[in-house]
Amino acid sequence: MRVLAAMSGGVDSAVAAALAVEAGHEVVGVHMALSRNREQFRAGSRGCCSIEDAGDARRAADVLGIPYYVWDLSERFEDTVVADFLSEYEAGRTPNPCVRCNEHIKFEALLDKATALGFDAVATGHYAQVVTREVAVAGPDGEAVTRTVRELHRSPNDAKDQSYVLAVMGQERLARSIFPLGGFASKDEVRAEAERRGLSVSNKPDSYDICFVSDGDTQGFLKARLGARTGEIVDTEGEVLGEHEGAYAFTVGQRKGLSLGRPAADGKPRYVLEVEPVSNRVVVGPAELLTVDRIEGDRSVWLADDVLAAAGWEPAQAGSVPDGAASAQVSGWFDASVQVRAHGAPVPARVRAVVGQADDGAADGARTEVELTGETLRGVAAGQSLVVYQGTRVIGQSTVQRAYRAQRAASAAR
């Protein structure tokens, strides 16, 4: 099989490429250049796109004896990931750029280009597992036929599991993706593999921060791109408590950086409850008002047709709005767990898929409705990625559109 190995310059992607070679695949390495920003490409950049990274990727490819290329995807990256990051914050939402990078760059631009060049799959250094199993399904004439199902599962390495940011890829792209690190239970095992193979990145530190914010100052980046916009910080009654220089710099659940002149009447800390982009206001209040028990998401992507089918859904219609639909098409509720942060804990829920019309009657695409059945969640913001699991298996992904405050929290505030 011809495999394109995405090589970021880190130890994970280097070992993933090495394992693909060891598995007998015809492997070509490629490094994605994602920015033309001189500051980002300077030596010592904290993200994952520095000059050192490109050099490290080349040296790893040389050790493995595979061809190596650099692909300039900077324009696509700016037009999708960075543009989405800015527009989402400007709209009062909280984006996850790593999710959008996987969606638009690694498993869209990169994978599509690889397919066009004749590659069978793309291998990356993500920590996740693909499980393949055979299932019996009804054929066109009602006879039983066997179908191969590829499932995305969590990595056994809980600390590094990246199934959350991969859930957006969808079934078609999952079928053309390889994650050689899926079985590794710890990063130390991966580093040991790299050292054994003579890869110089074996002890290279992990990248961190948002890759296109080279100094780690997200608020500074937003202000430079969007400009200062003075507005009010108010409580839930509308009383003005202070000022800010841009509502886009705040996110639901935030406590630090409010710079309010006086404490709350009850002496308790105040948190961001809402960001209102039109009025340019930030609403703050007590922690209990951050608690939610229902969530709605849009832009849904499903990776488990069998689970949806068992809940009464017709997967062929997912992701599109029937012409002239008078009402929503809804699956039955099914039990699952949901996760709203990359390293957050999953909580029990019941979930259903919806396509057709939203509650306000407007035409809508594929949506997800969630009711939490055990623990509640706090500080859920519009724009966050919501991932649905059953055990370790990823069922689907949605972008949070709205989070509803728990009734008991609302009652306590009255």
Side-chain angles (χ1 to χ4, degrees), residues 270-287:
R270 286 176 289 209
Y271 298 80
V272 175
L273 302 178
E274 297 177 41
V275 178
E276 301 177 349
V278 175
S279 63
N280 195 29
R281 296 201 311 176
V282 175
V283 182
V284 299

PDB file of all heavy atoms in Angstrom, residues 270-287:
ATOM      1  N   ARG A 270     -16.767  35.839  40.343  1.00  0.00           N
ATOM      2  CA  ARG A 270     -17.670  35.955  39.199  1.00  0.00           C
ATOM      3  C   ARG A 270     -16.996  35.376  37.961  1.00  0.00           C
ATOM      4  O   ARG A 270     -15.785  35.496  37.790  1.00  0.00           O
ATOM      5  CB  ARG A 270     -18.054  37.420  38.981  1.00  0.00           C
ATOM      6  CG  ARG A 270     -19.051  37.910  40.025  1.00  0.00           C
ATOM      7  CD  ARG A 270     -19.362  39.387  39.871  1.00  0.00           C
ATOM      8  NE  ARG A 270     -18.239  40.225  40.270  1.00  0.00           N
ATOM      9  CZ  ARG A 270     -18.371  41.456  40.771  1.00  0.00           C
ATOM     10  NH1 ARG A 270     -19.584  41.980  40.929  1.00  0.00           N
ATOM     11  NH2 ARG A 270     -17.305  42.158  41.101  1.00  0.00           N
ATOM     12  N   TYR A 271     -17.818  34.809  37.115  1.00  0.00           N
ATOM     13  CA  TYR A 271     -17.337  34.139  35.907  1.00  0.00           C
ATOM     14  C   TYR A 271     -18.078  34.695  34.687  1.00  0.00           C
ATOM     15  O   TYR A 271     -19.180  35.226  34.814  1.00  0.00           O
ATOM     16  CB  TYR A 271     -17.591  32.631  35.993  1.00  0.00           C
ATOM     17  CG  TYR A 271     -16.880  31.941  37.128  1.00  0.00           C
ATOM     18  CD1 TYR A 271     -17.399  31.989  38.427  1.00  0.00           C
ATOM     19  CD2 TYR A 271     -15.698  31.239  36.920  1.00  0.00           C
ATOM     20  CE1 TYR A 271     -16.762  31.350  39.480  1.00  0.00           C
ATOM     21  CE2 TYR A 271     -15.048  30.591  37.966  1.00  0.00           C
ATOM     22  CZ  TYR A 271     -15.583  30.652  39.239  1.00  0.00           C
ATOM     23  OH  TYR A 271     -14.949  30.024  40.275  1.00  0.00           O
ATOM     24  N   VAL A 272     -17.471  34.529  33.528  1.00  0.00           N
ATOM     25  CA  VAL A 272     -18.147  34.927  32.296  1.00  0.00           C
ATOM     26  C   VAL A 272     -19.271  33.932  32.010  1.00  0.00           C
ATOM     27  O   VAL A 272     -19.038  32.728  31.903  1.00  0.00           O
ATOM     28  CB  VAL A 272     -17.165  34.970  31.109  1.00  0.00           C
ATOM     29  CG1 VAL A 272     -17.921  35.257  29.803  1.00  0.00           C
ATOM     30  CG2 VAL A 272     -16.095  36.024  31.336  1.00  0.00           C
ATOM     31  N   LEU A 273     -20.502  34.458  31.901  1.00  0.00           N
ATOM     32  CA  LEU A 273     -21.663  33.629  31.604  1.00  0.00           C
ATOM     33  C   LEU A 273     -22.044  33.701  30.126  1.00  0.00           C
ATOM     34  O   LEU A 273     -22.467  32.713  29.540  1.00  0.00           O
ATOM     35  CB  LEU A 273     -22.868  34.066  32.450  1.00  0.00           C
ATOM     36  CG  LEU A 273     -22.703  34.050  33.968  1.00  0.00           C
ATOM     37  CD1 LEU A 273     -23.983  34.548  34.623  1.00  0.00           C
ATOM     38  CD2 LEU A 273     -22.370  32.644  34.450  1.00  0.00           C
ATOM     39  N   GLU A 274     -21.900  34.887  29.546  1.00  0.00           N
ATOM     40  CA  GLU A 274     -22.277  35.078  28.143  1.00  0.00           C
ATOM     41  C   GLU A 274     -21.363  36.113  27.506  1.00  0.00           C
ATOM     42  O   GLU A 274     -20.902  37.040  28.175  1.00  0.00           O
ATOM     43  CB  GLU A 274     -23.725  35.562  28.017  1.00  0.00           C
ATOM     44  CG  GLU A 274     -24.774  34.596  28.517  1.00  0.00           C
ATOM     45  CD  GLU A 274     -26.177  35.191  28.413  1.00  0.00           C
ATOM     46  OE1 GLU A 274     -26.464  35.847  27.386  1.00  0.00           O
ATOM     47  OE2 GLU A 274     -26.964  35.016  29.359  1.00  0.00           O
ATOM     48  N   VAL A 275     -21.151  35.950  26.213  1.00  0.00           N
ATOM     49  CA  VAL A 275     -20.449  36.948  25.410  1.00  0.00           C
ATOM     50  C   VAL A 275     -21.425  37.400  24.330  1.00  0.00           C
ATOM     51  O   VAL A 275     -21.895  36.590  23.534  1.00  0.00           O
ATOM     52  CB  VAL A 275     -19.169  36.366  24.777  1.00  0.00           C
ATOM     53  CG1 VAL A 275     -18.486  37.427  23.910  1.00  0.00           C
ATOM     54  CG2 VAL A 275     -18.209  35.873  25.856  1.00  0.00           C
ATOM     55  N   GLU A 276     -21.755  38.699  24.339  1.00  0.00           N
ATOM     56  CA  GLU A 276     -22.744  39.232  23.402  1.00  0.00           C
ATOM     57  C   GLU A 276     -22.034  40.069  22.332  1.00  0.00           C
ATOM     58  O   GLU A 276     -21.711  41.240  22.565  1.00  0.00           O
ATOM     59  CB  GLU A 276     -23.769  40.084  24.149  1.00  0.00           C
ATOM     60  CG  GLU A 276     -24.521  39.301  25.228  1.00  0.00           C
ATOM     61  CD  GLU A 276     -25.481  40.175  26.017  1.00  0.00           C
ATOM     62  OE1 GLU A 276     -25.420  41.422  25.875  1.00  0.00           O
ATOM     63  OE2 GLU A 276     -26.302  39.617  26.776  1.00  0.00           O
ATOM     64  N   PRO A 277     -21.767  39.475  21.154  1.00  0.00           N
ATOM     65  CA  PRO A 277     -20.974  40.175  20.143  1.00  0.00           C
ATOM     66  C   PRO A 277     -21.664  41.407  19.559  1.00  0.00           C
ATOM     67  O   PRO A 277     -20.995  42.387  19.225  1.00  0.00           O
ATOM     68  CB  PRO A 277     -20.751  39.103  19.076  1.00  0.00           C
ATOM     69  CG  PRO A 277     -21.864  38.123  19.276  1.00  0.00           C
ATOM     70  CD  PRO A 277     -22.135  38.109  20.738  1.00  0.00           C
ATOM     71  N   VAL A 278     -22.983  41.385  19.437  1.00  0.00           N
ATOM     72  CA  VAL A 278     -23.683  42.519  18.825  1.00  0.00           C
ATOM     73  C   VAL A 278     -23.617  43.747  19.727  1.00  0.00           C
ATOM     74  O   VAL A 278     -23.277  44.852  19.297  1.00  0.00           O
ATOM     75  CB  VAL A 278     -25.151  42.158  18.522  1.00  0.00           C
ATOM     76  CG1 VAL A 278     -25.892  43.391  17.993  1.00  0.00           C
ATOM     77  CG2 VAL A 278     -25.218  41.018  17.513  1.00  0.00           C
ATOM     78  N   SER A 279     -23.917  43.557  21.022  1.00  0.00           N
ATOM     79  CA  SER A 279     -23.866  44.674  21.960  1.00  0.00           C
ATOM     80  C   SER A 279     -22.464  44.895  22.503  1.00  0.00           C
ATOM     81  O   SER A 279     -22.217  45.888  23.200  1.00  0.00           O
ATOM     82  CB  SER A 279     -24.829  44.421  23.122  1.00  0.00           C
ATOM     83  OG  SER A 279     -24.439  43.260  23.848  1.00  0.00           O
ATOM     84  N   ASN A 280     -21.544  43.960  22.201  1.00  0.00           N
ATOM     85  CA  ASN A 280     -20.168  44.035  22.686  1.00  0.00           C
ATOM     86  C   ASN A 280     -20.128  44.049  24.209  1.00  0.00           C
ATOM     87  O   ASN A 280     -19.302  44.713  24.815  1.00  0.00           O
ATOM     88  CB  ASN A 280     -19.442  45.270  22.126  1.00  0.00           C
ATOM     89  CG  ASN A 280     -17.929  45.195  22.298  1.00  0.00           C
ATOM     90  OD1 ASN A 280     -17.352  44.112  22.328  1.00  0.00           O
ATOM     91  ND2 ASN A 280     -17.292  46.341  22.442  1.00  0.00           N
ATOM     92  N   ARG A 281     -21.030  43.265  24.812  1.00  0.00           N
ATOM     93  CA  ARG A 281     -21.076  43.172  26.276  1.00  0.00           C
ATOM     94  C   ARG A 281     -20.654  41.785  26.736  1.00  0.00           C
ATOM     95  O   ARG A 281     -20.878  40.785  26.044  1.00  0.00           O
ATOM     96  CB  ARG A 281     -22.476  43.472  26.803  1.00  0.00           C
ATOM     97  CG  ARG A 281     -22.957  44.878  26.541  1.00  0.00           C
ATOM     98  CD  ARG A 281     -24.094  45.284  27.494  1.00  0.00           C
ATOM     99  NE  ARG A 281     -25.147  44.277  27.566  1.00  0.00           N
ATOM    100  CZ  ARG A 281     -26.212  44.373  28.385  1.00  0.00           C
ATOM    101  NH1 ARG A 281     -26.328  45.420  29.182  1.00  0.00           N
ATOM    102  NH2 ARG A 281     -27.126  43.443  28.395  1.00  0.00           N
ATOM    103  N   VAL A 282     -20.069  41.756  27.923  1.00  0.00           N
ATOM    104  CA  VAL A 282     -19.705  40.507  28.583  1.00  0.00           C
ATOM    105  C   VAL A 282     -20.534  40.409  29.852  1.00  0.00           C
ATOM    106  O   VAL A 282     -20.508  41.325  30.686  1.00  0.00           O
ATOM    107  CB  VAL A 282     -18.202  40.460  28.911  1.00  0.00           C
ATOM    108  CG1 VAL A 282     -17.866  39.201  29.700  1.00  0.00           C
ATOM    109  CG2 VAL A 282     -17.374  40.527  27.637  1.00  0.00           C
ATOM    110  N   VAL A 283     -21.294  39.317  29.993  1.00  0.00           N
ATOM    111  CA  VAL A 283     -22.153  39.117  31.159  1.00  0.00           C
ATOM    112  C   VAL A 283     -21.453  38.182  32.130  1.00  0.00           C
ATOM    113  O   VAL A 283     -20.990  37.101  31.746  1.00  0.00           O
ATOM    114  CB  VAL A 283     -23.517  38.524  30.763  1.00  0.00           C
ATOM    115  CG1 VAL A 283     -24.411  38.365  31.984  1.00  0.00           C
ATOM    116  CG2 VAL A 283     -24.199  39.410  29.715  1.00  0.00           C
ATOM    117  N   VAL A 284     -21.377  38.601  33.404  1.00  0.00           N
ATOM    118  CA  VAL A 284     -20.718  37.786  34.429  1.00  0.00           C
ATOM    119  C   VAL A 284     -21.699  37.453  35.538  1.00  0.00           C
ATOM    120  O   VAL A 284     -22.721  38.128  35.714  1.00  0.00           O
ATOM    121  CB  VAL A 284     -19.482  38.511  35.005  1.00  0.00           C
ATOM    122  CG1 VAL A 284     -18.456  38.786  33.927  1.00  0.00           C
ATOM    123  CG2 VAL A 284     -19.888  39.805  35.705  1.00  0.00           C
ATOM    124  N   GLY A 285     -21.386  36.406  36.290  1.00  0.00           N
ATOM    125  CA  GLY A 285     -22.255  36.015  37.389  1.00  0.00           C
ATOM    126  C   GLY A 285     -21.651  34.879  38.181  1.00  0.00           C
ATOM    127  O   GLY A 285     -20.497  34.494  37.960  1.00  0.00           O
ATOM    128  N   PRO A 286     -22.408  34.296  39.109  1.00  0.00           N
ATOM    129  CA  PRO A 286     -21.893  33.242  39.989  1.00  0.00           C
ATOM    130  C   PRO A 286     -21.651  31.931  39.270  1.00  0.00           C
ATOM    131  O   PRO A 286     -22.228  31.665  38.204  1.00  0.00           O
ATOM    132  CB  PRO A 286     -23.008  33.100  41.037  1.00  0.00           C
ATOM    133  CG  PRO A 286     -24.247  33.542  40.324  1.00  0.00           C
ATOM    134  CD  PRO A 286     -23.809  34.644  39.416  1.00  0.00           C
ATOM    135  N   ALA A 287     -20.831  31.099  39.885  1.00  0.00           N
ATOM    136  CA  ALA A 287     -20.419  29.843  39.266  1.00  0.00           C
ATOM    137  C   ALA A 287     -21.589  28.916  38.974  1.00  0.00           C
ATOM    138  O   ALA A 287     -21.582  28.202  37.967  1.00  0.00           O
ATOM    139  CB  ALA A 287     -19.411  29.139  40.175  1.00  0.00           C
TER     140      ALA A 287
END
